[in-house]
């Protein structure tokens, strides 16, 4: 019996207007486990109108910033309290490891606490203008209805990165999760209700990109689109939003270099490379999918890397000792397998993996073995295109200049890793790598306190940290005359 979900619009649990549902699958069993409402333009219109009404009237705009902050902190407390249940839903629907989701859903609470704390610290300024008899000040105001569109790889975590600052700034929101992983957000909406947010402040439209996502981006009452997904969809979203002159932030894909120099602490670097590409089954935007390794240590490093990667335990993502879970959805499984064929056809050699596993622990799940290709040239498709799976390409380099040239020779610029014990080299690489995040002697570290986002085709704007709150605000300049007389009306003041 499949669990039947409703979506949440205007403070109510509702079906799609069409009454239609679609199935969502458990990637470990390869079978559907729940039904999700198939929303389309009519539902989107209902949700955006509800968000707009909540923004312009009712209790939300009357709340003080401190009251808004208190609601967010309450939501953070509820997330902490229910983090294990949220993690389990995410694992069932997405195939992520419970061992990773338990700490991630618990950590998510920090975004609500942090932005809850910032809500009443949004301050304008008094401007010392050059005009006599004028008092001029600025105030930061919310934008209105935010449309948040998120992908399948980290459904709740990435929703949180948008939801917490959008609400802290005083906006209302309509969220469209991925059609592959909607269930966790619908469970999470119970916590939003419990926290006491007024109806219409947070709404969800579940459904497909063309049926629900595009109408949401195009809706005239949407003021800002906050999108996370692939660069190709991001481009379409950007174009559609541009027609309505909407603000846009885009968190897009990557093909990040993980660069190992011969002076690196080798055991740590091996772990860092494995964590960069095989954690979360390589289904992360920051996957360190290009290993650039200095020629002088190439063979020794690859031997150690293979030794560790071979031990990765694949299996049931609910088991706490599993290290590599399934691919989240069937089209993605096919995409990863297709890239493996492309790499082979391009002349790369699979030194590890390269196929679906047959072990009983993997059952009918959508698994791909951790795969490593050597003999890769940086211009090959396997080195240039985002696979979004457990597939690593090894590319040797001679010296710093070549490491930088190869690292930057890519349309993306989301993240980069550098492994060295030389401080000058580390800082020089951090300066010159074209990426929004550079990790030195670590990988995959993120925080609510630090800005995250992409250079080049990896995106526009940033998420997390204090600065990015401005992406959900607009500034108003207020001019007050303190003069006793209105001056000559025919000239500019
Ligand atoms: P996707 O681009 O296919 O879909 C993302 C979302 O957009 C989904 O909700 C989808 O339904 C919706 N969508 C699809 N077509 C649309 C349209 N025309 N208009 C509006 N919405 C539409 O991405 P995906 O396959 O779900 O996710 C994987 C991608 O996300 C990878 O490229 C990955 O790198 C990227 N990603 C980026 C970050 C980051 O922070 N930079 C984080 C995670 C994932």
């Amino acid at each position: 019996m499949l669990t039947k979900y409703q979506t949440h619009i205007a403070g109510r649990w509702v079906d799609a207007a069409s009454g239609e549902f679609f199935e969502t699958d458990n990637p470990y069993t390869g079978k559907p486990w729940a039904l999700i409402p198939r929303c389309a333009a009519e539902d989107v219109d209902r949700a955006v109108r509800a968000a707009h009404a909540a923004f312009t009237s009712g209790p939300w705009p009357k709340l003080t910033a401190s009251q808004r902050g208190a609601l967010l902190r309450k939501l953070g407390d509820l997330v902490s309290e229910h983090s294990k249940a949220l993690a389990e839903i995410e694992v069932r629907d997405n195939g992520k490891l419970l061992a990773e989701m338990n700490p991630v859903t618990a950590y998510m609470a920090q975004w609500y606490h942090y932005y809850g704390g910032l809500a009443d610290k949004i301050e304008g300024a008094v401007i010392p203008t050059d005009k006599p008899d004028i008092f001029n000040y600025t105030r930061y105001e919310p934008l209105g209805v935010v449309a948040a569109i998120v992908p399948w790889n980290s459904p709740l975590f990435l929703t949180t990165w948008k939801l917490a600052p959008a609400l802290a700034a005083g906006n209302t929101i309509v969220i469209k999760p991925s059609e592959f992983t909607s269930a966790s957000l619908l469970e999470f909406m119970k916590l939003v209700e419990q926290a006491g947010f007024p109806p219409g402040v947070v709404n969800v439209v579940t459904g497909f990109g063309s049926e629900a996502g595009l109408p949401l981006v195009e809706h005239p009452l949407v003021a800002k689109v906050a999108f996370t997904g692939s660069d190709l969809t991001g481009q379409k979203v950007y174009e559609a939003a541009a027609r309505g002159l909407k603000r846009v932030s885009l968190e897009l894909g990557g093909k990040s270099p993980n660069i190992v120099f011969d002076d690196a602490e080798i055991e740590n670097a091996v772990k860092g490379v494995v964590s960069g590409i095989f954690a979360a089954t390589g289904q992360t935007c920051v996957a360190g999918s290009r290993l650039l390794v200095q020629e002088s240590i190439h063979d020794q490093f690859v031997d150690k890397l293979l030794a560790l990667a071979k031990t990765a335990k694949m299996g049931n993502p609910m088991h706490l000792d599993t290290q590599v879970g399934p691919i989240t959805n069937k089209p993605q499984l096919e995409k990863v397998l297709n890239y493996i064929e492309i790499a082979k056809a391009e002349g790369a050699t699979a030194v590890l993996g390269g196929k679906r596993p047959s072990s009983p622990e993997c059952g009918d799940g959508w698994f791909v073995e951790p795969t490593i290709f050597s003999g890769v040239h940086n211009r090959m498709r396997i080195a240039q295109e985002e696979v979004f799976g457990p597939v690593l390409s090894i590319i040797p380099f001679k010296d710093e200049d070549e490491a930088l040239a190869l690292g930057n020779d890519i349309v993306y610029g989301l993240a980069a890793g550098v492994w060295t014990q030389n401080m000058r080299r580390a800082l020089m690489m951090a300066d010159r790598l074209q990426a929004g995040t550079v990790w030195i002697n670590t990988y995959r570290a993120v925080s609510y306190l630090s800005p995250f986002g992409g250079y080049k085709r990896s995106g526009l704007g940033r998420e997390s940290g204090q600065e990015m709150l401005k992406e959900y605000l607009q500034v108003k300049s207020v001019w007050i005359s303190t003069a006793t007389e209105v001056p000559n009306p025919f000239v500019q003041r």
Side-chain angles (χ1 to χ4, degrees):
M1 183 68 176
L2 302 183
T3 305
K4 205 174 199 179
Y5 278 98
Q6 289 189 301
T7 196
H8 201 269
I9 295 176
R12 288 227 197 82
W13 293 100
V14 292
D15 293 341
S18 65
E20 285 183 45
F21 290 85
F22 60 94
E23 289 176 344
T24 188
D25 301 321
N26 177 336
Y28 178 61
T29 61
K31 297 200 171 55
W33 72 276
L35 291 170
I36 306 289
R38 184 169 178 166
C39 296
E42 192 181 336
D43 309 286
V44 168
D45 185 54
R46 205 153 36 111
V48 175
R49 285 185 190 287
H52 190 256
F55 180 73
T56 48
S57 58
W60 181 247
K62 296 194 191 87
L63 293 184
T64 63
S66 302
Q67 288 169 323
R68 273 201 322 265
L71 278 177
L72 276 162
R73 291 195 297 277
K74 176 90 192 294
L75 181 56
D77 291 345
L78 288 165
V79 168
S80 288
E81 211 177 298
H82 296 271
S83 65
K84 282 204 153 54
L86 293 174
E88 277 178 22
I89 290 283
E90 207 78 298
V91 176
R92 188 172 310 143
D93 207 22
N94 173 295
K96 279 198 156 245
L97 301 183
L98 190 62
E100 174 156 292
M101 285 325 293
N102 274 336
V104 165
T105 48
Y107 190 39
M108 243 164 52
Q110 297 297 332
W111 269 259
Y112 297 102
H113 288 142
Y114 176 68
Y115 285 105
L118 280 181
D120 58 6
K121 289 155 200 78
I122 300 168
E123 295 174 348
V126 174
I127 313 282
T129 59
D130 54 334
K131 321 263 178 221
D133 305 325
I134 284 286
F135 178 64
N136 177 220
Y137 69 95
T138 57
R139 46 182 270 119
Y140 284 91
E141 299 179 349
L143 302 169
V145 179
V146 172
I149 300 180
V150 284
W152 47 259
N153 67 312
S154 273
L156 277 184
F157 198 44
L158 297 172
T159 298
T160 290
W161 287 18
K162 302 176 191 335
L163 179 61
L167 296 182
N171 300 285
T172 57
I173 194 162
V174 179
I175 309 164
K176 196 206 85 65
S178 165
E179 55 273 32
F180 295 111
T181 53
S182 309
S184 57
L185 180 59
L186 297 173
E187 295 285 343
F188 172 86
M189 284 305 292
K190 295 176 188 165
L191 307 183
V192 172
E193 264 190 331
Q194 227 177 304
F197 284 91
V201 172
V202 185
N203 308 271
V204 177
V205 286
T206 47
F208 296 86
S210 54
E211 293 175 5
L214 192 56
L216 179 58
V217 174
E218 288 177 333
H219 198 290
L221 291 177
V222 164
K224 161 165 175 131
V225 181
F227 174 85
T228 302
S230 63
D231 59 328
L232 292 179
T233 310
Q235 188 175 324
K236 284 187 205 152
V237 164
Y238 197 17
E239 284 165 4
R243 286 195 288 276
L245 295 178
K246 292 170 191 180
R247 284 160 189 255
V248 180
S249 54
L250 301 170
E251 293 285 352
L252 309 177
K255 189 80 187 177
S256 300
N258 210 349
I259 306 172
V260 182
F261 285 97
D262 59 6
D263 62 10
E265 181 61 67
I266 297 294
E267 304 297 331
N268 287 344
V270 167
K271 285 189 199 154
V273 169
V274 164
S275 120
I277 189 64
F278 299 130
T281 319
Q283 299 173 112
T284 78
C285 52
V286 294
S289 46
R290 289 185 300 147
L291 164 61
L292 307 188
V293 60
Q294 196 152 17
E295 275 175 5
S296 45
I297 55 160
H298 179 276
D299 294 355
Q300 172 204 356
F301 190 84
V302 173
D303 285 349
K304 285 181 186 281
L305 175 65
L306 289 174
L308 181 60
K310 272 180 190 156
T311 65
K313 189 172 182 314
M314 280 183 282
N316 189 338
M318 287 286 184
H319 294 170
L320 289 174
D321 61 345
T322 299
Q323 292 168 318
V324 175
I327 301 289
T328 300
N329 58 72
K330 219 155 177 211
Q332 184 62 22
L333 172 71
E334 275 147 27
K335 183 176 163 195
V336 173
L337 293 172
N338 187 40
Y339 267 111
I340 289 173
E341 292 314 312
I342 289 171
K344 288 179 185 165
E346 285 179 308
T349 310
V351 289
L352 184 71
K355 57 183 190 333
R356 298 192 63 184
S358 52
S359 62
E361 294 80 34
C362 295
D364 293 327
W366 296 325
F367 286 85
V368 174
E369 290 175 343
T371 297
I372 300 180
F373 280 106
S374 70
V376 177
H377 186 279
N378 200 51
R379 296 312 304 172
M380 287 180 177
R381 284 183 66 191
I382 194 63
Q384 289 288 315
E385 297 173 19
E386 187 183 44
V387 177
F388 219 59
V391 181
L392 178 69
S393 297
I394 305 178
I395 304 164
F397 70 85
K398 278 195 196 55
D399 53 22
E400 286 174 359
D401 285 346
E402 195 180 12
L404 266 174
L406 290 169
N408 288 336
D409 176 24
I410 193 88
V411 292
Y412 297 108
L414 194 59
V418 179
W419 299 84
T420 176
Q421 295 188 75
N422 177 326
M423 181 68 82
R424 177 205 58 78
R425 176 175 270 171
L427 292 176
M428 181 280 293
M429 294 296 286
D431 279 0
R432 293 173 59 191
L433 280 165
Q434 294 157 7
T437 294
V438 177
W439 288 297
I440 310 286
N441 296 331
T442 184
Y443 209 85
R444 275 188 96 212
V446 290
S447 166
Y448 52 95
L449 296 163
S450 187
F452 180 89
Y455 281 28
K456 304 197 279 189
R457 271 189 84 86
S458 291
L460 293 176
R462 293 292 178 269
E463 295 192 314
S464 299
Q466 200 166 336
E467 265 298 291
M468 62 74 53
L469 202 50
K470 293 224 169 110
E471 304 225 2
Y472 290 93
L473 292 162
Q474 51 196 336
V475 66
K476 179 180 279 173
S477 178
V478 182
W479 296 75
I480 302 169
S481 173
T482 54
T484 47
E485 262 179 60
V486 173
N488 181 355
F490 298 102
V491 295
Q492 189 181 358
R493 273 218 78 184

